[in-house]
Amino acid sequence: MIRHSYKTSESWKALPWKKFRRNLFRLQKRVYKAVQVGDKRKARLLQKLILKSTSARFLAIRQVSQLNAGKKTAGIDGKKSLSFEERFNLEELLKMNNGNWKHQGLREIPIPKKDGTTRVLKIPTIADRAWQCLAKYALEPAHEATFHARSYGFRTGRSAHDAQKYIFTNLRSQSNGIEKRVIELDIEKCFDRINHSTIMDELIAPKGLKLGIFRCLKAGVNPEFPEQGTPQGGVVSPLLANIALNGIESIHRYHTQYKEGRKLTPKTSTYKIVEPSVRYADDMVIILRPEDDATEILERISEFLRKRGMNVSQKKTKITAATDGFDFLGWNFKVQSNGKFRSTPSVDNFKAFRKKVKNIVNNSNYGSTTKAKRLAPVVRGWRNYHKFCKMDGSRNTLYHIQKRAYTVFNKETKQNRHSSIKLIEKAFPKVSYSENKHNPVTGTKSPYDGDTSYWSERNSKLYFGDTSKALKKQNYRCASCGLKFIDDERIHLHHIDENHSNWKTNNLEAIHESCHDYKHMSKSAS
């Protein structure tokens, strides 16, 4: 048992975080392997250990109060953050009530959608988010052992780029993509209509955890649909949606003959099952051969969804020829008349990005230096997301946007051409691209399978430049805590001498975001 004389920032930082990570991962790996071999009873016993684990409780509180993107968003209680004393008190509350957690109400935030409608984010309190994170630690490894290989959204170790590569593999010239069609599937109000009984029936969890999830679902219900919906904005909601939709990827499948040797002979040929569907959360694309019956496939999908309280959107679901092109996850995919596959940023994605850049460049509240600093992460993020696309041409190289920014910067720096060019270089960092060269995740692999070498190296490939060099030098281990980068926590580049102008290789080290926080916490305390 851990005792705390003083509930301060120093006592929080002094907690054995490295040990906590190892303890939690050890339990999660055992849960994953138990479900893999069909021993759900053992998995539920191990999940109970996670809920009772001091390591898991502290890591859950740290995740929602320090690391998550929405960490400063208040719930219905108005709390935007926790003091260090409140974090320790929350740990004690989770310890006493982890198997009998009662959710508070949710704060509703309307978000406008591009089609003119609104969706409602339902934000839990920080305490409820911490319990949901603890629940996710127990649930995720169990269901990772059951999830389909072609499900890529909101899963640890998987990304939109995996979905992008799978579409390329199925539509490139070697796969006769020029002859194929796709079903662009849209599920009507997916998160709002998922049947609660479906989630509860599919859930691999002990009784206390199931009760907490049931209360979580009921805290966010629409009075018109009391038996449906999972609240968007909750930590565990994307996982619950994946649990409810798991299996939809297998509805369209067929056998195909393929060769194992140079020549196709009775001895070297065999058959394999192909499931040419790609799902990212509630967005899905089904790839069809010329002989496939799209109407029949859609009927089977509709039946699958009806059993779960959902419907296919007749308005947005389309059957499209691959040669006509289609949008998915911010990209436009198209097979050209010569059979060559192309992936580019979609028109809507580019417009949204250009709007963000314009808002920064045209803002009169701050100068060019600040604008350049704010533009850099936006531009780098956009270019990184599209780095496996075809990115040449004036639009995607951002020539016209850079030209406009240069005009503004040049005016603000009083026609100092050299300064304006330097600012443009900072504001629009280059990111190399290699069309369709992403290395996809292997089969049904999961970070909980224990293959830390594979996952740390794979996660490190998401970074480039100085961060990538530091990661290779460190053998993909955090320079602060020494653990490998196997989860989704962001990797930060730390300047050892605290001089952010010193970019020498020996002054840079790659570390976990949380480890970076603690380094700066020590500095501010001193």
Side-chain angles (χ1 to χ4, degrees):
M1 180 181 285
I2 297 175
R3 301 282 184 186
H4 305 281
S5 304
Y6 303 98
K7 296 176 179 179
T8 64
S9 62
E10 280 304 308
S11 56
W12 178 262
K13 184 200 165 192
L15 288 170
W17 294 108
K18 182 177 179 179
K19 180 182 176 183
F20 287 170
R21 281 176 181 269
R22 281 181 168 159
N23 289 347
L24 175 59
F25 182 68
R26 191 181 301 115
L27 286 171
Q28 289 179 313
K29 187 168 63 172
R30 291 175 67 193
V31 170
Y32 176 85
K33 292 188 174 178
V35 175
Q36 240 190 350
V37 299
D39 193 347
K40 291 185 180 180
R41 181 178 176 276
K42 182 179 179 181
R44 286 190 284 267
L45 291 173
L46 291 165
Q47 287 174 314
K48 285 183 180 179
L49 291 181
I50 291 176
L51 295 175
K52 294 176 181 178
S53 165
T54 300
S55 300
R57 289 196 299 272
F58 275 113
L59 286 169
I61 293 166
R62 183 178 71 168
Q63 184 67 39
V64 301
S65 63
Q66 283 183 254
L67 304 179
N68 279 358
K71 61 190 175 186
K72 295 293 184 183
T73 306
I76 200 170
D77 60 355
K79 271 191 173 296
K80 289 187 176 181
S81 61
L82 299 179
S83 67
F84 291 99
E85 183 175 1
E86 287 172 327
R87 292 180 194 181
F88 283 114
N89 292 340
L90 177 55
E91 188 273 331
E92 292 169 5
L93 185 65
L94 286 172
K95 181 180 179 180
M96 291 186 292
N97 298 284
N98 65 73
N100 188 30
W101 189 264
K102 295 179 181 177
H103 276 71
Q104 298 182 58
L106 306 175
R107 178 184 167 217
E108 296 188 356
I109 303 176
I111 306 291
K113 297 171 71 174
K114 63 182 180 183
D115 61 0
T117 61
T118 59
R119 66 185 177 99
V120 179
L121 279 183
K122 297 182 179 181
I123 309 298
T125 63
I126 296 177
D128 285 338
R129 295 204 290 268
W131 183 87
Q132 286 188 30
C133 188
L134 182 62
K136 185 184 175 189
Y137 287 158
L139 290 171
E140 190 169 62
H143 288 279
E144 273 292 318
T146 69
F147 282 158
H148 196 279
R150 303 292 169 247
S151 167
Y152 297 111
F154 302 111
R155 290 182 61 189
T156 301
R158 290 167 179 260
S159 70
H161 291 131
D162 294 313
Q164 181 189 35
K165 183 59 180 274
Y166 191 72
I167 291 174
F168 160 72
T169 303
N170 279 270
L171 292 182
R172 60 184 173 174
S173 56
Q174 294 98 312
S175 303
N176 296 319
I178 197 168
E179 299 176 356
K180 294 182 178 179
R181 297 162 294 152
V182 300
I183 298 175
E184 300 175 65
L185 183 69
D186 186 272
I187 302 172
E188 193 172 11
K189 296 184 177 179
C190 174
F191 280 82
D192 295 332
R193 295 291 178 267
I194 296 174
N195 193 292
H196 291 171
S197 61
T198 297
I199 294 173
M200 300 312 296
D201 289 345
E202 296 294 328
L203 214 57
I204 303 170
K207 186 177 178 180
L209 180 50
K210 273 197 168 186
L211 178 62
I213 293 296
F214 184 75
R215 288 170 175 169
C216 166
L217 293 171
K218 293 304 178 186
V221 296
N222 182 335
E224 294 181 38
F225 304 96
E227 303 301 322
Q228 292 178 278
T230 177
Q232 293 187 62
V235 175
V236 77
S237 295
L239 174 60
L240 298 180
N242 273 337
I243 291 170
L245 290 172
N246 188 41
I248 195 173
E249 306 89 351
S250 297
I251 289 175
H252 175 45
R253 62 196 307 191
Y254 57 84
H255 288 79
T256 186
Q257 194 177 33
Y258 76 107
K259 58 184 178 180
E260 295 174 337
R262 288 181 178 271
K263 293 181 180 179
L264 189 63
T265 68
K267 289 184 178 180
T268 61
S269 65
T270 184
Y271 286 88
K272 65 177 178 179
I273 295 174
V274 177
E275 296 174 343
S277 302
V278 179
R279 183 170 69 84
Y280 193 95
D282 59 335
D283 290 324
M284 189 169 175
V285 167
I286 301 110
I287 300 169
L288 307 176
R289 301 168 302 168
E291 63 267 35
D292 291 329
D293 187 336
T295 303
E296 180 191 342
I297 293 166
L298 276 172
E299 285 176 358
R300 282 188 274 140
I301 288 172
S302 295
E303 179 61 23
F304 176 95
L305 292 173
R306 270 195 297 272
K307 290 177 180 177
R308 290 153 178 79
M310 295 171 280
N311 294 303
V312 171
S313 171
Q314 301 298 327
K315 183 179 178 182
K316 296 180 181 178
T317 296
K318 295 181 286 185
I319 301 168
T320 309
T323 50
D324 290 337
F326 60 96
D327 290 351
F328 183 58
L329 301 178
W331 295 303
N332 178 262
F333 300 100
K334 186 174 183 177
V335 177
Q336 298 175 320
S337 56
N338 62 1
K340 192 171 179 63
F341 176 89
R342 280 282 176 257
S343 173
T344 56
S346 70
V347 171
D348 286 345
N349 180 277
F350 182 77
K351 282 182 178 177
F353 166 71
R354 186 175 62 184
K355 185 178 179 181
K356 286 181 185 177
V357 172
K358 276 186 173 181
N359 287 340
I360 296 172
V361 171
N362 296 332
N363 195 315
S364 58
N365 293 327
Y366 41 80
S368 297
T369 302
T370 304
K371 288 178 182 179
K373 285 181 180 178
R374 295 195 176 195
L375 277 172
V378 174
V379 173
R380 186 183 293 111
W382 186 81
R383 281 180 161 161
N384 256 322
Y385 187 74
H386 298 295
K387 65 184 175 181
F388 301 113
C389 288
K390 180 179 172 60
M391 292 294 283
D392 52 6
S394 61
R395 188 193 81 158
N396 294 330
T397 57
L398 309 183
Y399 170 78
H400 296 293
I401 294 177
Q402 284 178 259
K403 188 176 178 182
R404 165 63 184 164
Y406 172 79
T407 302
V408 173
F409 290 178
N410 202 33
K411 184 178 179 181
E412 291 177 348
T413 55
K414 298 180 180 178
Q415 308 301 317
N416 187 331
R417 185 171 177 274
H418 179 72
S419 296
S420 299
I421 291 173
K422 285 290 185 185
L423 287 172
I424 287 293
E425 289 174 354
K426 288 182 180 179
F428 293 86
K430 299 295 181 184
V431 173
S432 61
Y433 66 93
S434 50
E435 191 178 357
N436 302 320
K437 295 299 183 183
H438 173 66
N439 187 24
V441 64
T442 302
T444 57
K445 280 192 73 64
S446 167
Y448 301 112
D449 62 16
D451 190 351
T452 55
S453 296
Y454 172 85
W455 286 105
S456 60
E457 188 170 347
R458 174 177 164 77
N459 290 347
S460 299
K461 288 178 181 177
L462 301 175
Y463 298 86
F464 66 100
D466 292 314
T467 307
S468 177
K469 291 175 186 175
L471 286 165
K472 289 177 184 175
K473 180 182 174 184
Q474 297 164 202
N475 194 26
Y476 310 109
R477 291 182 180 273
C478 175
S480 180
C481 70
L483 294 178
K484 289 201 168 189
F485 298 101
I486 57 173
D487 56 21
D488 283 344
E489 185 175 339
R490 287 183 292 269
I491 300 172
H492 282 195
L493 196 62
H494 175 62
H495 293 73
I496 298 170
D497 66 359
E498 302 293 342
N499 178 9
H500 285 218
S501 297
N502 181 2
W503 289 86
K504 292 181 179 178
T505 304
N506 60 1
N507 188 50
L508 303 173
E509 58 183 17
I511 60 178
H512 288 105
E513 180 185 4
S514 53
C515 294
H516 203 196
D517 284 348
Y518 298 143
K519 282 183 177 290
H520 287 285
M521 192 187 296
S522 299
K523 184 184 174 186
S524 60
S526 59

